[in-house]
Amino acid sequence: MSEIINMSNELSTNAAEVLPRFDRRKFLALGGTSAAFLLGTAGVAKAYIMLNGATPRSQAPVGLDPATGRELTAEAWPADRIYTYALAGTDGWASLPSSDALGLSLGAKSVDPYFPDPLADAANKNLYVFSFTNVTGLDRTQVAARKGHSQFCAPIIYSTVGDELWITLTNLGLQMRPDLVDGHTLHWHGFRNAIPFYDGVPESSISVTIDHDFTYVYRPHDSGTYMYHCHFEDVEHVTMGMQGIVFVKPDPADRVNLGSGLYTQKAYGVADGDLLGESVYDREFSILLGEIDTRAHFNDAHVQATDWSDFHADFWTMNGRSYPDTLQPNGVRDANGQLLVQADGGIDGAGNSVLTTNSDPSADASRLLSNPLSSVVQAEVGERILIRLVNLGFQNHTIQFPGLEVDVLGRDARFVPDSAQRTKTDSVQIGPGESRDVFFKAPLVAGTYPFYNRGLSQYAGSDDGSNNWVGGQRSEIRVYDNLSSQLKPNGWAGEQPWAGEFPVVAKHAGLGISVRANRTTGNNGGRFISGTITTDTQAYLANIWYVQATKDSPLSAAPLAGHASWNQVPFSGNGPYAFNVQVASSGRNSSNKHYYWVLAQDSAGVYSTPISVQI
Amino acid sequence: MKLTSKRSPMVLVLALFCIALATLVPISPKTNAAFAAESEGMLCTNGTIVGGYRTFNLVATDGYTSEPDGNSIYDWSYGVMGNGFQLPGPILCANTGEVIDITLTNQLPVATSIQLPGFTNVTYNDGISSGAVGPVFDATGAMISLVPQAAPGSSITYRFKANNAGTYVYQSGTDPQLQVQMGLFGAIVVRPAGISVTADDVLNIPYYDGTASQLTNADAGMSAGEAATLASNAKCAYPSINNPAKCDPLAIYDGAVDGENILILSEIDPAIHTFMEQAFTAGDLASLNWNSYPIGYEAHYFMINGRSMPDTLAPNNAPWMPWQPYGAMAHVQPWDVHVNALDALLRYINVGNAAYDFHPHSNHEHVIAQDGALMKGSTAGVVNDNTEEKFNILINPGGSVDATFRWTNEESYDDVNGFRVPVAQPNGPNLNQGSYWSGSPYLGSEGLLNPGVLTKSQCGEYYHVAHNHDLTQVTNYGITFGGMMTLIKVEPPAALQTRMNLKCN
């Protein structure tokens, strides 16, 4: 008990300490218009303050190490790069598309007696679940009130290379099952060089008991798409809903400044192997694939045991929803932590999604309030779209994108280089526990493009047999001629993040300028870097810049272009442009490889992402 | 003797029946595998060199294996002649360029065989006929085996050359739907002959810490002397694509006894095994085939090297599992460019019916080879590198994957000389503690544990699980923390063991 009291005391002091801290870097990531909007709107800025400050955890290490009796000290981390989240583990009810709620042609038929569960709290909900509920920014009383209120699946979390992420997990216990004293843990699946303390396997580490909490700390060094889930009685807690997506963005130094406060967004950095800036995108979406055996959910609600080796899914989900619910908008959370649904009002003249919050959680229209994540992918014609796919079900799936050419540039949080003989495809295989980063260019014709699980038997089907997609993994890409910026991952156009959801990301103006270089020929008499420069605007090109790095520190951050140490080779022409530039090679001998940083600059002064070549 | 299971009366009946059946089928007495010394890492059966051929004498026979929940399973498998039954079949190790003879003596009541996927120009000799292996048809033209087989009580020899290094499956080619499920499978490991790893090779191993650097160990500060020391302990899994006399830099691994590991992944539908046990007991030879099995297939046990978690953690030749001789727990020490810069090698084989997606906690593994082929190609001297770091290793049915693993204390967490974890460990009553938890967040350190928590920590080591991510298969008949799972044991480096006065066994 002393643990909780200590935490509460810490909260009051730390909130004051952190309150003024407004992350400048994340602020700069916003588009120019968005930034202006933020500056002038106290309500949105408050989101950041809540996010960074008022989480139920201590900013500084507390207590003594029970092993040594010494005070704990941590490696100093820049305070403005520490981000906090808070999750609560609890149970509750969620919704699958039943014919009771949606009618015979859009809802699945009952699975007697398992689905809809007769114990459900209201006609609108039908599935007993466990969940990680986002309680970031809530106070202790508000957090405690979330017991029995689920969020299915778990919230999307992200971090950035160089950031430190503190995630506090509170175990609220199970409202429906006071007989169970299950712990909960947070397992960041795929986190490199994890220590057991933060790996969340209860047998080889610690787990959080009911009414207590624990803060997991991560310093991600590697960009990519990961997942997180509870590892306590893993098969049960995962399939019951304690599963979510976590991804890591590359070091902000990897972004390209497009001027006017605009930056490109990239999924992988130079340090991850994306030397050519191929992982840039305009909008990003995250889709978690899951499977539901309604018998198991029923058994947990009705104090029955399940033979997990007899698992047979009868619903398949994207972000905790089954088609056609996948097409509904994201939910929001109010100041008390109550999840609310939004209604889809189409796209207005400025390209913004019109979303109306239904503030009555008991209304029929609030059926999906416990399933707050949409799977709709929006795009403006010709935009580059990233979909982060994660599979935390138990089956191997293939997601098909008919009519699109898809690049899989990330597999299991590793960038796939061009040298690995990539091929374009329209279907993406993903096994249980795997992740894929899928990139494509949105079609040039506005319209609706479905994507779905090609395992065509993996759909429940509608009650009347008229719609065989019901109850499965199907959603759609909606392409518009004019769409405003995406302001948060998985967000619809213009949709703001809600307090405590996560930081905001920016839309950039286009792909900008990029350079690729080959290893060169030549020797002491003359070394050349050759390659091509492309732009998506066909602008005239102005300069190739390069700088020689030492042999021992090729991976240090690229110096700023325009600095005195950079060499400038001017030329002009239309992109794409092939170049072959002789470079200075001081201090070299014939056996000594050196590294060069190379970037291109267009006539508007915009620089490409620097790339590193070895010659 | 692990015969104290609920099936033991059946074993007695079976034993009596075997005696009665002895005139029909020459079943050998079920001798325990010789009680060899316990060990860690991949345990090779090396065979003998006879007339220039590497020769293995195997038997196909039946026996019982145990599951952690107390169930006892009737199986068919391959064993070493003279040692009787074991599951899986022995891990046959050979070198490239050798000609291999495998003589199989069939002590089962049904015909059986050995199919050798991945090897070419396999020939056979069963004393009556000989030639290239191919399907066997009965008088009506129906195929009865994928490869020439041995009738009950008779023998057959398969001969082939090990041309390419790699990890291979061998399995029954006769009624494989049933016989592979019953346990007739094993592994062949071919190592490249004539390659020694030099200090220069070790200096040029790519240094990777999750980034896509082009650095080598030399760039990361390894000295020539350190490289020489490491090279003396290094082994090679695959030759270089462009220079077969050298090892591929990604295929150099720690040649220490537990630096090379194998994980043969399989599953069991216990109802099939019971059905066959009863048919055999009743002398109903006609029912000993897949077509006679009347129920839909559903596996409930999921194994690594014939054992389910937590039996996978026990050492090789653990005496309480005499017929499941292979452990599956990998041991590593933290990667260190100066003293421990060689990766562990893990050879995965899937003999199940669908792909398994195996998830090692704590770090990616570097997948370097699939189905016995290094994942690199060369066009006009330019190497296409298709190896990849993965946090889930997908192994297709009948296939193999070779991957390397390292773990680095990237944040220098250490409670004496390094950095502390940024949050305090809450005091004991506020936590559940696992029995593989040392009580301390730090490697090589131990801490206070709650009353009643019995830790398995010997020296403050870390345990990380590694398991199939179809979590329904990480169960023993549905019970969590079982099945196709093992642990990776990260031991403190020797210096830390000395400092803390904590010795790892």
Side-chain angles (χ1 to χ4, degrees):
Chain A
M1 283 311 293
S2 58
E3 186 67 23
I4 286 186
I5 293 164
N6 282 340
M7 289 293 192
S8 301
N9 291 341
E10 291 288 342
L11 173 65
S12 56
T13 51
N14 280 314
E17 175 196 328
V18 182
L19 212 67
R21 186 174 297 145
F22 186 91
D23 190 317
R24 186 167 167 274
R25 185 182 57 74
K26 290 245 154 93
F27 176 77
L28 287 177
L30 291 160
T33 51
S34 305
F37 177 72
L38 262 183
L39 281 171
T41 312
V44 179
K46 192 180 166 205
Y48 284 87
I49 294 165
M50 293 295 287
L51 177 76
N52 278 332
T55 53
R57 64 133 190 123
S58 53
Q59 187 88 13
V62 294
L64 302 175
D65 183 344
T68 64
R70 285 188 290 267
E71 275 196 8
L72 285 145
T73 54
E75 182 182 7
W77 210 256
D80 64 350
R81 301 207 68 173
I82 298 176
Y83 289 85
T84 61
Y85 290 82
L87 298 171
T90 187
D91 61 345
W93 296 87
S95 292
L96 291 176
S98 67
S99 57
D100 289 357
L102 290 174
L104 295 176
S105 61
L106 285 178
K109 67 174 54 132
S110 300
V111 185
D112 189 47
Y114 307 112
F115 175 82
D117 192 314
L119 274 181
D121 63 346
N124 287 332
K125 297 201 200 165
N126 46 38
L127 185 76
Y128 181 60
V129 297
F130 297 171
S131 79
F132 287 121
T133 299
N134 185 345
V135 292
T136 309
L138 303 182
D139 65 27
R140 275 282 166 201
T141 311
Q142 291 169 321
V143 171
R146 301 320 298 158
K147 180 172 181 177
H149 296 278
S150 55
Q151 181 167 351
F152 185 78
C153 59
I156 296 168
I157 298 175
Y158 77 82
S159 186
T160 303
V161 171
D163 286 351
E164 187 173 275
L165 185 60
W166 297 48
I167 306 179
T168 299
L169 172 63
T170 304
N171 185 346
L172 294 177
L174 304 171
Q175 181 94 326
M176 282 291 294
R177 293 293 304 274
D179 59 311
L180 292 181
V181 292
D182 288 21
H184 292 306
T185 70
L186 183 59
H187 168 56
W188 181 324
H189 174 118
F191 193 87
R192 299 189 70 121
N193 299 300
I195 61 171
F197 194 50
Y198 294 139
D199 195 47
V201 176
E203 292 84 357
S204 61
S205 177
I206 55 179
S207 50
V208 186
T209 54
I210 294 171
D211 284 346
H212 294 93
D213 59 32
F214 178 70
T215 299
Y216 295 83
V217 179
Y218 305 98
R219 292 170 184 162
H221 298 281
D222 304 283
S223 315
T225 303
Y226 303 80
M227 63 207 79
Y228 69 99
H229 60 83
C230 181
H231 225 290
F232 193 97
E233 293 174 1
D234 44 36
V235 59
E236 177 186 18
H237 286 219
V238 169
T239 195
M240 286 299 288
M242 303 186 81
Q243 47 173 293
I245 291 179
V246 55
F247 60 85
V248 177
K249 299 188 168 213
D251 192 303
D254 260 339
R255 295 174 320 186
V256 179
N257 186 345
L258 300 169
S260 307
L262 294 174
Y263 291 82
T264 55
Q265 294 297 312
K266 285 178 70 185
Y268 289 93
V270 171
D272 303 302
D274 183 12
L275 305 180
L276 308 178
E278 294 173 285
S279 67
V280 295
Y281 59 85
D282 294 294
R283 291 172 203 270
E284 62 176 313
F285 298 87
S286 298
I287 293 181
L288 175 70
L289 306 175
E291 293 147 20
I292 289 168
D293 179 345
T294 55
R295 289 182 307 165
H297 291 252
F298 175 92
N299 286 345
D300 266 7
H302 294 253
V303 203
Q304 301 294 304
T306 298
D307 172 5
W308 294 104
S309 61
D310 185 30
F311 183 94
H312 295 283
D314 43 19
F315 283 87
W316 290 260
T317 58
M318 285 176 160
N319 287 340
R321 294 175 174 179
S322 246
Y323 182 85
D325 293 340
T326 49
L327 305 182
Q328 295 300 311
N330 293 306
V332 297
R333 199 189 71 184
D334 72 10
N336 294 317
Q338 172 65 52
L339 288 166
L340 301 168
V341 300
Q342 297 188 107
D344 180 3
I347 305 289
D348 69 15
N352 290 308
S353 292
V354 179
L355 296 167
T356 322
T357 302
N358 186 335
S359 59
D360 180 2
S362 65
D364 282 357
S366 293
R367 187 177 63 86
L368 288 174
L369 65 85
S370 295
N371 310 55
L373 279 179
S374 176
S375 293
V376 169
V377 173
Q378 288 185 331
E380 191 174 285
V381 288
E383 277 185 332
R384 188 160 164 87
I385 305 297
L386 161 62
I387 301 178
R388 303 173 185 273
L389 279 177
V390 166
N391 181 2
L392 267 171
F394 306 137
Q395 298 170 323
N396 211 316
H397 293 302
T398 295
I399 304 300
Q400 201 158 37
F401 301 83
L404 298 176
E405 269 192 342
V406 160
D407 283 321
V408 180
L409 294 187
R411 290 162 55 87
D412 286 9
R414 295 300 296 138
F415 180 75
V416 183
D418 196 30
S419 60
Q421 299 170 307
R422 292 191 311 240
T423 52
K424 286 185 184 294
T425 180
D426 73 346
S427 55
V428 180
Q429 173 272 336
I430 180 167
E434 292 191 314
S435 79
R436 301 285 183 267
D437 297 310
V438 174
F439 291 78
F440 60 90
K441 183 177 180 179
L444 298 177
V445 180
T448 299
Y449 299 81
F451 63 98
Y452 49 82
N453 182 353
R454 180 56 183 75
L456 295 176
S457 66
Q458 294 167 355
Y459 294 83
S462 68
D463 200 344
D464 65 2
S466 67
N467 188 339
N468 292 326
W469 300 100
V470 165
Q473 293 162 340
R474 177 190 155 115
S475 189
E476 57 200 35
I477 299 156
R478 296 174 181 168
V479 181
Y480 302 91
D481 287 320
N482 175 35
L483 203 59
S484 69
S485 299
Q486 186 187 42
L487 301 178
K488 65 177 186 180
N490 218 51
W492 287 22
E495 184 184 9
Q496 294 285 346
W498 39 266
E501 189 178 16
F502 37 47
V504 188
V505 295
K507 172 186 165 71
H508 71 79
L511 294 187
I513 185 168
S514 66
V515 60
R516 62 188 294 169
N518 305 319
R519 185 170 159 186
T520 64
T521 55
N523 50 34
N524 280 340
R527 304 256 170 182
F528 295 86
I529 301 172
S530 58
T532 54
I533 300 173
T534 55
T535 70
D536 60 355
T537 59
Q538 298 290 305
Y540 281 95
L541 304 166
N543 293 300
I544 294 281
W545 295 81
Y546 71 91
V547 66
Q548 184 177 353
T550 66
K551 179 173 184 291
D552 296 325
S553 57
L555 285 179
S556 60
L560 287 174
H563 187 273
S565 68
W566 283 77
N567 298 279
Q568 180 182 354
V569 181
F571 64 93
S572 63
N574 277 321
Y577 183 86
F579 67 89
N580 188 35
V581 174
Q582 182 169 6
V583 298
S585 52
S586 59
R588 298 182 42 136
N589 58 46
S590 57
S591 64
N592 210 350
K593 289 175 185 168
H594 279 231
Y595 292 82
Y596 289 80
W597 285 102
V598 185
L599 54 73
Q601 180 187 29
D602 70 14
S603 52
V606 174
Y607 295 110
S608 69
T609 300
I611 60 167
S612 177
V613 292
Q614 184 187 26
I615 54 177
Chain B
M1 293 284 287
K2 178 80 176 182
L3 287 180
T4 54
S5 74
K6 54 189 166 186
R7 290 279 172 78
S8 54
M10 185 63 79
V11 176
L12 288 175
V13 170
L14 184 76
L16 291 171
F17 182 76
C18 288
I19 295 166
L21 202 66
T23 53
L24 178 64
V25 180
I27 289 184
S28 69
K30 287 184 172 55
T31 54
N32 293 349
F35 281 99
E38 294 179 22
S39 63
E40 308 283 354
M42 189 177 81
L43 184 59
C44 275
T45 293
N46 291 313
T48 52
I49 305 294
V50 177
Y53 300 146
R54 185 170 289 276
T55 303
F56 300 97
N57 278 310
L58 304 185
V59 293
T61 184
D62 64 344
Y64 286 82
T65 54
S66 65
E67 292 295 336
D69 58 8
N71 207 349
S72 185
I73 305 286
Y74 174 71
D75 306 288
W76 299 343
S77 188
Y78 303 107
V80 175
M81 177 65 85
N83 286 348
F85 172 81
Q86 68 169 70
L87 185 78
I91 298 157
L92 311 179
C93 295
N95 302 307
T96 52
E98 291 177 340
V99 175
I100 298 174
D101 270 4
I102 302 178
T103 297
L104 174 67
T105 300
N106 183 5
Q107 297 176 346
L108 291 170
V110 292
T112 191
S113 61
I114 293 179
Q115 186 200 14
L116 296 151
F119 295 103
T120 54
N121 300 316
V122 182
T123 60
Y124 78 101
N125 185 337
D126 62 6
I128 300 165
S129 60
S130 62
V133 299
V136 180
F137 302 92
D138 69 9
T140 70
M143 195 188 76
I144 55 173
S145 180
L146 291 166
V147 293
Q149 54 186 10
S154 63
S155 297
I156 185 170
T157 298
Y158 304 93
R159 174 173 291 178
F160 57 99
K161 189 172 178 185
N163 289 314
N164 301 310
T167 307
Y168 299 87
V169 182
Y170 69 92
Q171 60 192 8
S172 171
T174 305
D175 194 12
Q177 288 83 351
L178 175 70
Q179 295 198 358
V180 176
Q181 163 65 210
M182 289 300 287
L184 285 160
F185 55 79
I188 299 176
V189 171
V190 180
R191 297 190 171 110
I195 294 181
S196 57
V197 177
T198 66
D200 262 2
D201 296 338
V202 173
L203 284 170
N204 284 316
I205 294 176
Y207 164 80
Y208 67 90
D209 61 350
T211 64
S213 79
Q214 300 173 55
L215 292 172
T216 63
N217 281 341
D219 296 314
M222 180 184 286
S223 73
E226 290 161 350
T229 305
L230 289 163
S232 67
N233 214 15
K235 282 189 180 167
C236 178
Y238 289 93
S240 159
I241 290 282
N242 284 336
N243 183 0
K246 302 294 283 182
C247 192
D248 184 273
L250 294 177
I252 297 173
Y253 65 95
D254 187 350
V257 72
D258 51 8
E260 182 177 17
N261 298 272
I262 193 162
L263 297 95
I264 303 171
L265 311 177
S266 66
E267 62 186 45
I268 278 178
D269 178 349
I272 294 177
H273 292 244
T274 302
F275 183 86
M276 292 303 154
E277 179 184 35
Q278 289 171 344
F280 183 38
T281 306
D284 177 10
L285 298 187
S287 287
L288 296 176
N289 63 71
W290 180 255
N291 294 331
S292 67
Y293 179 64
I295 316 168
Y297 176 80
E298 185 163 276
H300 291 287
Y301 293 109
F302 309 91
M303 284 107 59
I304 306 173
N305 298 342
R307 298 180 183 176
S308 298
M309 177 78 178
D311 292 344
T312 50
L313 310 180
N316 298 324
N317 294 319
W320 62 92
M321 287 181 283
W323 299 303
Q324 293 150 282
Y326 302 131
M329 185 166 72
H331 295 232
V332 297
Q333 291 194 354
W335 189 88
D336 182 319
V337 72
H338 300 296
V339 297
N340 186 38
L342 297 175
D343 294 350
L345 178 70
L346 296 110
R347 302 176 181 271
Y348 295 91
I349 279 182
N350 176 355
V351 294
N353 305 312
Y356 296 128
D357 226 326
F358 203 84
H359 172 52
H361 279 225
S362 80
N363 206 358
H364 285 56
E365 288 181 0
H366 199 137
V367 176
I368 60 169
Q370 211 168 19
D371 296 347
L374 188 69
M375 288 159 66
K376 287 185 176 179
S378 176
T379 310
V382 177
V383 173
N384 291 313
D385 185 353
N386 291 309
T387 67
E388 60 175 345
E389 293 174 75
K390 295 271 292 158
F391 56 58
N392 266 44
I393 317 297
L394 185 81
I395 311 110
N396 287 313
S400 76
V401 166
D402 297 331
T404 57
F405 177 83
R406 68 173 58 164
W407 183 87
T408 310
N409 187 358
E410 193 155 7
E411 304 299 338
S412 302
Y413 286 137
D414 173 356
D415 60 346
V416 177
N417 296 325
F419 296 112
R420 313 291 170 75
V421 292
V423 293
Q425 185 180 181
N427 53 25
N430 293 333
L431 293 172
N432 291 322
Q433 295 166 322
S435 63
Y436 295 95
W437 169 242
S438 68
S440 166
Y442 306 104
L443 190 62
S445 181
E446 294 181 327
L448 293 176
L449 293 166
N450 291 340
V453 176
L454 296 173
T455 181
K456 298 184 174 63
S457 169
Q458 297 171 307
C459 54
E461 69 271 30
Y462 285 166
Y463 288 102
H464 280 294
V465 295
H467 58 88
N468 182 344
H469 220 279
D470 177 347
L471 298 175
T472 68
Q473 300 182 341
V474 192
T475 65
N476 296 326
Y477 224 127
I479 304 300
T480 306
F481 209 63
M484 203 178 287
M485 173 186 257
T486 185
L487 296 177
I488 299 166
K489 182 183 183 187
V490 182
E491 293 173 350
L496 205 54
Q497 294 181 36
T498 310
R499 193 186 75 200
M500 298 288 193
N501 199 22
L502 290 165
K503 287 292 179 194
C504 299
N505 49 52

